Amino acid sequence: MIKRTIALAVLATLASGAAFAQSTVTLYGRLNVTAERQKIGSAKAVYDLSNNSSRLGLKGEEDLGGGLKAGFILEHGFDPTTGAGAATFWGRQSEAYLSSNFGMVRIGNFSSEAQLATGDWVSMHNHDTGTSADRLYAYFGSDVNKVAYRAPTFVKNLTLEASAAEGSSTTKRTYDLAANYELGALKLGAGYNKQGDQKQVALRAMYDIGAFTLGTYVQRDTNGIAAGSRNNLRLAGMYTMGASEFHANVGVAGKIGSIANSKATQATIGYNYNLSKRTKVYTYYTRFNDGAAAVYGGDFSSLAVGLRHNF
């Protein structure tokens, strides 16, 4: 009888473990392609099919019990116009994490928390991808060999994150801080990152007014684009009407340190039509005006028609 009781207790313990150690794995992705008429500087216009950060991903999570969860995200970038994959297969993202009531610890390769809290929000028309992506935001440092911590929600709707990415024999360690806060229709964000003598801080605000969404960020960086400090401002707006979205945004970057003729501007207007929650067709015109110093690589413009499908 004693042996039988012990055996039943062991089986019950194993069954209990199987009950809470449940895991799920999800396949997801995005195909986003545009047909474009592009003009670079004074050169003759060219026609091109462009990839807009298409991706294929896997993510999974396991419930370990007691509020503890383990998970992973793997994301591969590829070009649908050719079928070619990115040189680093999981280069877009490859992380493992543990989360509990005490927060989340992440390790691996993933994007800057500061940029996701600020610049990424304001690029509403095409998720900061392709030829209309924000060229003025100072994004630097390393996204690989990172350790990050996301704090639990001490204050409702407030998220705090911090990370450090290991450097190399030629680069310094990267530090990244971010905060996101939502107060009804108002959504705020802040980000700071530093690598050696490069540093930047940015603030973001988004506000929904009925069918209108208005957004802005302001950034101050030092040595982020070239030697010296500068200010960068972007304004964006979206108006929705049924399945239609009308977009406009403009960015203005000031003079960089003592570099003459280093001011630059970028403007985009666009229209999206949502065929479903996962599929849209869209068009946009984007124009980038570089200063005579050509710090950002020169003038550029593109008229594009695109198709995006998420799965």
Side-chain angles (χ1 to χ4, degrees), residues 125-204:
H125 70 283
N126 199 23
H127 300 286
D128 206 19
T129 66
T131 58
S132 65
D134 186 348
R135 296 186 174 210
L136 297 175
Y137 188 95
Y139 190 112
F140 55 84
S142 176
D143 291 338
V144 302
N145 297 318
K146 289 178 70 171
V147 177
Y149 174 68
R150 181 178 297 161
T153 306
F154 298 114
V155 178
K156 185 178 180 181
N157 298 328
L158 175 65
T159 302
L160 300 174
E161 298 179 273
S163 71
E166 191 57 58
S168 66
S169 59
T170 58
T171 60
K172 301 289 186 179
R173 184 173 295 159
T174 301
Y175 298 97
D176 208 304
L177 301 172
N180 290 277
Y181 181 65
E182 294 189 18
L183 185 62
L186 178 63
K187 301 173 180 63
L188 303 173
Y192 170 83
N193 71 306
K194 183 179 188 301
Q195 183 187 50
D197 62 356
Q198 293 180 295
K199 60 183 179 181
Q200 70 90 13
V201 61
L203 300 173
R204 176 262 308 170

Side-chain angles (χ1 to χ4, degrees), residues 266-294:
Q266 182 180 15
T268 302
I269 56 172
Y271 171 75
N272 297 352
Y273 186 81
N274 295 288
L275 298 169
S276 70
K277 289 184 177 180
R278 297 188 300 163
T279 304
K280 74 174 184 179
V281 291
Y282 62 95
T283 182
Y284 65 76
Y285 175 76
T286 188
R287 183 175 181 84
F288 185 84
N289 294 317
D290 204 350

Side-chain angles (χ1 to χ4, degrees), residues 15-167:
S16 174
F20 67 68
Q22 297 176 5
S23 62
T24 59
V25 176
T26 302
L27 173 69
Y28 68 94
R30 175 178 68 203
L31 289 93
N32 193 359
V33 179
T34 48
E36 306 189 18
R37 181 186 184 274
Q38 302 173 357
K39 196 170 190 311
I40 303 173
S42 59
K44 184 179 179 181
V46 297
Y47 294 87
D48 184 54
L49 285 178
S50 295
N51 173 36
N52 293 243
S53 297
S54 297
R55 64 189 181 184
L56 178 67
L58 292 168
K59 58 183 177 181
E61 190 170 87
E62 181 181 19
D63 187 344
L64 300 174
L68 182 64
K69 296 180 180 180
F72 72 92
I73 301 175
L74 297 172
E75 204 167 277
H76 168 62
F78 67 99
D79 186 346
T81 69
T82 63
T88 302
F89 196 86
W90 299 118
R92 281 188 56 89
Q93 191 167 353
S94 53
E95 68 166 281
Y97 65 83
L98 284 173
S99 67
S100 72
N101 295 331
F102 298 100
M104 176 185 288
V105 175
R106 307 164 67 195
I107 56 173
N109 156 47
F110 41 92
S111 297
S112 162
E113 294 87 345
Q115 194 274 339
L116 291 176
T118 55
D120 186 69
W121 276 75
V122 179
S123 296
M124 295 179 284
H125 70 283
N126 199 23
H127 300 286
D128 206 19
T129 66
T131 58
S132 65
D134 186 348
R135 296 186 174 210
L136 297 175
Y137 188 95
Y139 190 112
F140 55 84
S142 176
D143 291 338
V144 302
N145 297 318
K146 289 178 70 171
V147 177
Y149 174 68
R150 181 178 297 161
T153 306
F154 298 114
V155 178
K156 185 178 180 181
N157 298 328
L158 175 65
T159 302
L160 300 174
E161 298 179 273
S163 71
E166 191 57 58

